[in-house]
Amino acid sequence: MALDRVLRKVGVVGYGRLGQSLVSHLLAQGSELGLELVFVWNRDPGRMTGRVPHSLQLHDLAALEERHPDLVVEVAHPQIIHESGAQILRHANLLVGSASALADQSTEQQLLEASHHWGHAVFVARGALWGSEDIARLDAAGGLQSLRVIMATHPDGFRLQGPLAAAHSTGPRTVLYEGPVRGLCPYAPQNSNTMAAAALAAPSLGFDNVIGVLVADLSLTNMHVVDVELRGPPSSTGRSFVVHTHRENPAEPGAVTGSATITAFWRSLLGCCQLPSRPGIHLC
């Protein structure tokens, strides 16, 4: 059954593992869902050779308006959102895969301004964050006091920058970072998207008060593990509402993106196609 949506034409920015999966889904199922893939862009265009039809390859991201997309899906790198996010919103709704880009306050402000100016929505994929809707509801009701997200995997699955790039495991399980999510995102932009999604789901805490923990675990050769711990304010009896979720996501050795996250992103793409184009930033 075709989706009842405003969005029809979809462009994909990024052709790594996640981008390849989305392109494959759109080519195979897009027509029956009322979605048309109109372009694929990748920083290295050679990666698309022989895999993406030549007519769909976009070699200049600035020329995306010529393809008239309704939705542009970013699954490349936060730098794309920093550099081109606001410009994309001039022409289409935007589904952000690199949620960590919004930890940069100037980028977030630019996206908000462009979204309201052009009337297009910024959707942010929840990715590997389990229970995002429950977190958002609890936060909106004033029932969230603290939120902590622990992401653990094998060191080969990290793409770290700055001081974290020099961090070394000191044993079988090493905490590389523990602190506000805003401080982690610039140094682990591809490994902090789940934490960034949590910060967006809980705006009362946000990037400065949601705590992110990045753990290198030598035993996790084929999976990513995400634990989410949240606590509400104490009641009159002194007890607090507490939730702890534990998510084990199978992943190929050294992969940044786990298998279940790829499936979740496809559902986010379909989900945002069913939502109205409301200006602002919306977790999807």
Side-chain angles (χ1 to χ4, degrees), residues 12 35 41 45 64 67 70 105 110 170 202 204 224 232 268-269:
V12 175
L35 303 175
W41 177 92
L64 67 87
R67 304 297 180 98
D70 296 303
Q105 290 170 305
Q110 288 171 10
T170 57
S204 73
H224 300 165
S268 289
L269 191 159

Side-chain angles (χ1 to χ4, degrees), residues 190-230:
Q190 294 170 281
N191 299 110
S192 56
N193 290 316
T194 300
M195 301 171 188
L200 293 168
S204 73
L205 298 174
F207 283 93
D208 293 312
N209 292 297
V210 172
I211 301 302
V213 184
L214 200 65
V215 179
D217 190 324
L218 295 175
S219 71
L220 300 177
T221 56
N222 59 359
M223 74 171 64
H224 300 165
V225 176
V226 177
D227 289 275
V228 178
E229 302 171 354
L230 63 84

